[in-house]
Amino acid sequence: MVAPNTPKYAEMKARPHTFLRLARLTAGAVLLGLLLSACNSTKTSRSYQTEAFTSESPFQYYSNQAPEKACEIARRALLSQGYQVE
């Protein structure tokens, strides 16, 4: 502890909030660093964006139906598997 009648005590009394100011600046710098690093992260591609099917894919369906009816069949098939269709 510093004695009350010393120059060091007078200096400490003149700047009582130096530690708090330094703590706030450090916390602000850390938060700013976290925010900037979050904005700089790279996005990974979704799995469906990188899918590629060959021309001999088992996921093909040929139909002799009218286009409207074929679309309805495809829509119902996708809905039955849990896909969201607009």
Side-chain angles (χ1 to χ4, degrees):
M1 188 103 179
V2 178
N5 295 330
T6 62
K8 185 80 167 167
Y9 181 76
E11 184 183 329
M12 288 174 59
K13 193 171 184 181
R15 295 182 283 143
H17 300 291
T18 304
F19 177 74
L20 291 175
R21 193 173 304 137
L22 181 62
R24 286 183 188 149
L25 285 173
T26 304
V30 168
L31 287 174
L32 182 64
L34 287 173
L35 286 173
L36 290 175
S37 68
C39 293
N40 196 23
S41 64
T42 58
K43 293 182 180 180
T44 58
S45 62
R46 296 188 172 114
S47 62
Y48 65 84
Q49 291 174 328
T50 58
E51 281 187 43
F53 297 107
T54 64
S55 61
E56 299 300 320
S57 174
F59 303 105
Q60 293 180 0
Y61 177 75
Y62 295 101
S63 174
N64 293 331
Q65 303 290 332
E68 295 81 23
K69 189 163 184 172
C71 284
E72 181 63 22
I73 292 170
R75 188 182 75 79
R76 288 179 185 234
L78 290 170
L79 288 172
S80 72
Q81 296 175 14
Y83 287 93
Q84 295 179 352
V85 179
E86 294 180 4

